[in-house]
Amino acid sequence: KQWYQRRVAITAGDNDETYDEELEAARAAERQKLRDQVVRANTLVREANTLSDEMCKETSFRVILQIPKANLDANKKSMIITSEVAIEVTHRARGTQTVWTLEKLQHRIFLMREMYESRRDDGSLFKKVSSNMANDPFYEMEKSHTLLGVANLFLEPLNYQDIKLTYSPPIINRQGQIVGHITIGIRRLPENDDSDDSEAWGSGSDINEPQTFGKALCEVTVQDAYGLPPALCNFVFCQYKFWDHPDTLLPGHDVNGLPVGTARFEHKHIFDCEITEDFTHFVTNGSLAFEVWGHLSSGFEDRINSRKQEKDKSKDSGIPHALVQRWSELMCTLQMWVEIRELDDSGQYMPVEVHDRPDVASGGVYQLRQGQSRRLVVTVAPPGRNGHSA
């Protein structure tokens, strides 16, 4: 028996060592792949900047590392490198900035070379020449949406019935920075009283089929997003997918009459889910990822003044704007209400009366009856936008 236990321990240790070796080998391969991509990108960027300067395109290219969109989802846990190579393109004359993939730059560099050879043949190098921007490889004419970031909301409150959580998780972009917040609410609706519990539990007859334990009605609300980058807050929309729901939901948006960097959604959807072991594990350990997309604002130049006024206010107060913004992300203002409920004659828990007294500095004195069953109800909520909502 002792020999068998030692053998099992040795086998388990060998398996752990093999897993560690395979993981380290995968990490080494990913590091080498990333290193090769950086070298390749630097070579192409150096050539693109040279071509841009000689043709007076006023466009600069820079190699950056960013987080893959899939890794912004908290459900995607990667044990390997979580960065990818991208190209930051800055159009100095237009004052815009976009991000290209490495494959896109590899395609554009051939078009840049053809344009350079054509300009060299007709002797127009080092001169500004007006050209059709739609066919210019240095510019990005397609007005596509840009991923502002992803916000994650953990779903553990869905383990409890009729407890609503309203939270404003940060929107994290692909550089790992906070670019705003989105207000989300989740709640598991109470079950019907006339439901048959005997049929709800263990409805699966085959042992190979997943066991179901009834149904859960999960309500998801998306209220608004705020603190978004002003340059990309036009046509803002968000999308998410809940559990095994086949469709990706896109809440409607509205930015009319709202402050700069704010979008209103007012979205509510109820999901009817089968309670299985997989669903319970997902609710306990998983999260819901909300992708927030934005578009270049057409009137951004007209809105810059409002942003400057906000910065001037922070300067007048003697506090740097970056410190004010960072402190607003860390500070959390909450309001708390405490309510005592007693069991009345009808069998329901009702709030007790609270009497104000001048000699009591608190909110009042609870009027309790002796020998009654009681429940304590505590409500915590953020008061509007005073600080980071929780």
Side-chain angles (χ1 to χ4, degrees):
K1 183 177 180 180
Q2 294 179 354
W3 172 85
Y4 175 75
Q5 292 176 348
R6 287 197 301 270
R7 181 61 180 172
V8 171
I10 293 174
T11 304
D14 293 341
N15 293 336
D16 292 340
E17 292 179 359
T18 303
Y19 174 77
D20 294 339
E21 292 176 357
E22 293 177 353
L23 182 60
E24 186 60 32
R27 289 175 176 173
E30 286 293 328
R31 284 195 296 267
Q32 184 61 39
K33 179 181 177 181
L34 183 62
R35 191 178 298 111
D36 295 340
Q37 291 179 349
V38 170
V39 173
R40 175 62 176 166
N42 281 324
T43 303
L44 295 176
V45 163
R46 196 177 305 112
E47 181 181 1
N49 284 326
T50 302
L51 296 176
S52 175
D53 293 340
E54 295 190 5
M55 289 187 284
C56 301
K57 289 297 182 180
E58 296 185 342
T59 304
S60 61
F61 302 85
R62 188 169 70 95
V63 179
I64 61 173
L65 294 178
Q66 64 181 10
I67 304 173
K69 186 181 74 171
N71 291 339
L72 291 175
D73 189 343
N75 296 311
K76 308 291 184 181
K77 297 179 175 61
S78 177
M79 300 295 292
I80 315 178
I81 297 176
T82 59
S83 298
E84 64 181 7
V85 177
I87 311 300
E88 184 181 82
V89 185
T90 303
H91 306 289
R92 295 188 295 271
R94 301 168 59 190
T96 59
Q97 191 177 82
T98 57
V99 177
W100 292 358
T101 62
L102 180 58
E103 292 76 13
K104 189 171 187 176
L105 180 60
Q106 290 175 345
H107 171 70
R108 291 290 183 93
I109 200 71
F110 291 104
L111 302 178
M112 295 177 188
R113 293 169 183 169
E114 293 178 358
M115 176 179 286
Y116 178 81
E117 293 176 357
S118 177
R119 295 273 295 270
R120 183 184 58 185
D121 294 340
D122 59 20
S124 59
L125 288 178
F126 302 100
K127 297 179 182 178
K128 285 188 177 182
V129 178
S130 60
S131 60
N132 186 6
M133 297 180 63
N135 299 324
D136 196 327
F138 289 89
Y139 295 99
E140 185 67 50
M141 289 301 298
E142 54 182 82
K143 297 182 178 180
S144 58
H145 277 79
T146 302
L147 177 65
L148 298 180
V150 178
N152 290 275
L153 181 67
F154 288 90
L155 304 175
E156 191 172 1
L158 294 181
N159 285 320
Y160 310 95
Q161 292 189 23
D162 205 18
I163 295 181
K164 185 175 182 179
L165 170 67
T166 302
Y167 182 58
S168 298
I171 303 172
I172 309 297
N173 66 1
R174 302 182 73 173
Q175 281 71 46
Q177 301 170 337
I178 298 177
V179 294
H181 295 83
I182 181 170
T183 306
I184 309 168
I186 57 172
R187 180 170 66 124
R188 179 179 171 184
L189 300 180
E191 299 178 356
N192 295 329
D193 296 336
D194 56 353
S195 61
D196 190 357
D197 294 338
S198 61
E199 296 180 358
W201 290 86
S203 59
S205 58
D206 190 353
I207 192 173
N208 295 323
E209 295 180 357
Q211 297 291 317
T212 59
F213 311 105
K215 291 182 176 293
L217 297 178
C218 302
E219 179 186 85
V220 177
T221 60
V222 184
Q223 298 179 10
D224 58 4
Y226 59 95
L228 304 176
L232 294 171
C233 65
N234 197 27
F235 302 110
V236 177
F237 74 92
C238 73
Q239 62 182 22
Y240 70 97
K241 188 174 182 180
F242 186 84
W243 183 226
D244 57 353
H245 196 274
D247 300 327
T248 300
L249 299 183
L250 285 83
H253 66 279
D254 181 21
V255 296
N256 297 326
L258 298 176
V260 178
T262 305
R264 181 185 296 113
F265 300 105
E266 299 298 340
H267 163 82
K268 179 187 291 186
H269 192 88
I270 298 176
F271 298 91
D272 189 358
C273 306
E274 292 282 350
I275 303 178
T276 61
E277 292 184 2
D278 293 338
F279 177 77
T280 303
H281 182 271
F282 168 71
V283 167
T284 304
N285 304 296
S287 65
L288 198 58
F290 293 81
E291 297 181 4
V292 182
W293 296 75
H295 199 282
L296 286 175
S297 299
S298 57
F300 175 58
E301 292 81 3
D302 298 334
R303 298 183 178 182
I304 291 181
N305 295 330
S306 62
R307 302 295 294 181
K308 288 183 177 179
Q309 292 176 0
E310 293 181 2
K311 293 184 178 181
D312 292 340
K313 290 181 180 178
S314 63
K315 290 181 180 179
D316 295 339
S317 62
I319 304 176
H321 177 71
L323 182 59
V324 173
Q325 182 178 5
R326 181 58 177 162
W327 182 250
S328 66
E329 295 172 359
L330 297 176
M331 185 178 62
C332 180
T333 303
L334 299 175
Q335 289 182 349
M336 184 177 70
W337 294 268
V338 180
E339 188 178 59
I340 299 179
R341 298 182 181 181
E342 287 184 345
L343 188 65
D344 61 3
D345 298 336
S346 61
Q348 296 181 352
Y349 284 91
M350 302 300 295
V352 301
E353 296 182 2
V354 179
H355 288 179
D356 295 331
R357 290 176 51 179
D359 58 336
V360 177
S362 62
V365 179
Y366 294 102
Q367 303 299 310
L368 305 180
R369 293 185 297 174
Q370 186 176 3
Q372 298 293 325
S373 298
R374 300 182 181 90
R375 287 181 177 177
L376 187 64
V377 180
V378 180
T379 304
V380 180
R385 294 276 162 76
N386 295 330
H388 175 54
S389 299

